[in-house]
Every structure is written in C-alpha cells, then in structure tokens.
Amino acid sequence: MYLRAIHAEPSIPALKAFVAANPLGLLTTALPSTDPSHHLIQTSHIPWVLDDPSPDTDDLPILRGHIARQNPHAKVFIEHAAANPGKPFTFQQEVMVLFNSPHHSYVSPKLYVKTKPESGKVVPTWNYSAAQIYGTATVYTDSKADSTIAFLNKQIRDLSNKAETEISKHEKPWEVDDAPEKYIELLRKNIIGIEIKVQHLGGKHKMSQEMGKEDREGVAQGFEDMKTETGDYIAKTVREKGQLK
C-alpha cells in the first residue's frame, strides 16, 4: 500500500479500531503447491476477530479467522500443514490482510471550487480508507486435534457474538448453542482455523488532504449534497482529516 505521508494514518490504536469496525479482510498469500491447478497467489474474503487486549496502545494484535475446507486456499494450507500432523502449523512466509471501508467513491474535478476555475489543473481521483496487515499465519487443519477443536469453538462463538451484537444489534442475539450440537460439530469439521500474529500494521484515509481548504470543502459539500450514506461518510471524513492537516 502506498502510504503517502499526507494520507497515512499514524495512530496504531486508530488503525486497530478501523480493523475492528471493518472485519471483512482480504487474506492474500503466495504459497507454492504440488497441485498445478492451485495458483501461487491466492486471496480469500474472511471475517476476522481482532484479539487486542490493549486497544489504546501501540501493541500489535492477533487476528483469528476460518475458511471452508473446500476452498482452494484452504487446500494449500492443508498441504503445507501435512508436514506437522496433529498440530497447528506456522508458516515462515508472511501473509497480508487488507481491510477496506465500505464507503469509497470517485471524486470529480468539478468539486474543486478554487483550483478548477483558477487554473484547470485538476484531474479525477478516488477517495477511500484502508488498512493493511502483515504477519505470520498459524493454521489449524486437523479436525480431530484438540487444539483445532478448541480454536474453532472459540473462534466461531467470538465471531458470531461480535456480529450479532455489533453488526446486527439484535435485542436477543443468536448464539452458536441455538443450533443442534451435532450440526455445529459437522460444520466445524468442514472449516480450518487461521491465526495471524500481526507484525506490521499500516493504513490510510485518502480523503482529499492534498487539496487546499476551499477545494476540500467543495469536495465535502459535493458529497454531502448526494444525500447518501456514502456521501455523508466521505464528507465527514474529508472535513475531519482536513482539520488534522
């Protein structure tokens, strides 16, 4: 990720909060396989649980997730983990997870109310927010191993609880134990667990900070006039990040 200084988010606590608020991350790996049908570079959408006992510090967190055993990505993990049967397997190669805000948009040059009429030296761009994690991954692939069962039991309960209480916000949240135990056991055998020890966390809010005050306000007003959730988010963020400039 290109972290231009004017766009980069310097606060680790703020980046951790961004990841927690946008838990669907793109896991990307470059792992060789003996199966010629498997691509070297693979990416999977995974909702993550952020283990962060010190959210207000620069301490880096741990990510926990799971994917379907039938996913080609999982099959590469399983192939490598076969070298260490019955135990969690940690990869030496680093992995990357990319988190995006759900709100992003094209920015028209027409919104630059000062520079466009004065010089015309403006071009289109795109505003967005994102965070990127690099780390080492440990996979839990043996469905009969106590370590895998314990990891997945905790993982699916923590993820369900987070989604039910923070995303769906149900008065009476659905719980894993609401489903038949045998059904959960069957589904658990068809997923593998992934735990990432975060070694680097960076991110950015590319929200028109490179423009002057009048142009930034033109962008913010233009998005506010859209009267959409995305427009409101971008207008608010453009103004917030412009003040920090």
Side-chain angles (χ1 to χ4, degrees), residues 1 5 8 11 24 29 35 37 43 53 57 72 83 96 113-115 134-135 150 196 203 209 237 242 245:
M1 182 185 296
S11 168
L24 184 65
T29 65
D35 186 337
S37 69
T43 297
T57 73
M96 185 271 285
V113 295
K114 179 176 174 60
T115 307
Y134 289 94
I196 297 176
Q209 300 99 312
T237 311
K245 177 184 175 182

Side-chain angles (χ1 to χ4, degrees), residues 89-137:
F89 181 82
T90 301
F91 290 85
Q92 292 184 345
Q93 302 96 323
E94 70 178 2
V95 302
M96 185 271 285
V97 188
L98 177 65
F99 296 88
N100 289 299
S101 164
H103 301 295
H104 56 87
S105 184
Y106 170 81
V107 181
S108 169
K110 290 185 176 182
L111 299 180
Y112 300 134
V113 295
K114 179 176 174 60
T115 307
K116 182 182 182 298
E118 286 185 355
S119 70
K121 294 180 179 180
V122 289
V123 292
T125 189
W126 207 280
N127 277 1
Y128 62 93
S129 298
Q132 191 173 51
I133 277 173
Y134 289 94
T136 54

Side-chain angles (χ1 to χ4, degrees), residues 192-206:
I192 70 167
I194 306 170
E195 183 176 67
I196 297 176
K197 183 178 180 182
V198 178
Q199 296 175 324
H200 175 78
L201 172 58
K204 65 197 290 186
H205 297 280
K206 184 185 173 298

